[in-house]
């Protein structure tokens, strides 16, 4: 289990610059799905643009959720160590 927090700034910059490919930093499953959707919808031009914006939003949400779960887990473990 990865117990280190991820940077929301790095997540934002990666998804802003690389779109769904940058989403792999914060959400591997989300990144793979959006890459596939972007490739399939490439002839429409709108599809990849929507995927790019979604990658930015999903990346931030995934990073926030990951960091929250890490903090909650560490807090729970600190409580157990203190004998609560």
């Amino acid at each position: 289990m990865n117990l280190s927090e991820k940077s929301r700034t790095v997540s934002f910059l990666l998804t802003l610059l690389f779109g769904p490919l940058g989403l792999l930093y914060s959400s591997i499953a989300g990144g793979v799905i959006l890459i596939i959707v972007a490739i399939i919808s490439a002839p429409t031009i709108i599809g990849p643009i929507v995927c790019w914006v979604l990658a930015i939003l999903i990346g931030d949400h995934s990073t926030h959720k990951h960091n929250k779960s890490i903090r909650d887990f560490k807090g729970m473990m600190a409580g157990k160590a203190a004998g609560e």
Side-chain angles (χ1 to χ4, degrees):
M1 177 180 216
N2 182 8
L3 293 180
S4 60
E5 292 190 16
K6 295 182 180 183
S7 169
R8 290 176 82 178
T9 304
V10 171
S11 175
F12 174 75
L13 290 174
L14 287 172
T15 54
L16 182 67
L17 296 173
F18 302 112
L21 190 60
L23 182 58
L24 295 173
Y25 170 75
S26 57
S27 173
I28 294 173
V32 169
I33 291 169
L34 281 183
I35 289 169
I36 292 169
V37 171
I39 290 170
I40 291 171
S41 65
T44 66
I45 302 299
I46 297 294
I49 293 171
V50 169
C51 287
W52 207 280
V53 173
L54 281 174
I56 295 169
L57 298 173
I58 293 170
D60 184 62
H61 176 73
S62 295
T63 304
H64 174 72
K65 186 176 171 184
H66 170 80
N67 291 345
K68 184 180 181 317
S69 66
I70 293 298
R71 279 186 240 115
D72 290 347
F73 179 75
K74 287 182 176 178
M76 180 184 68
M77 295 308 289
K80 285 186 178 183
E84 290 182 1

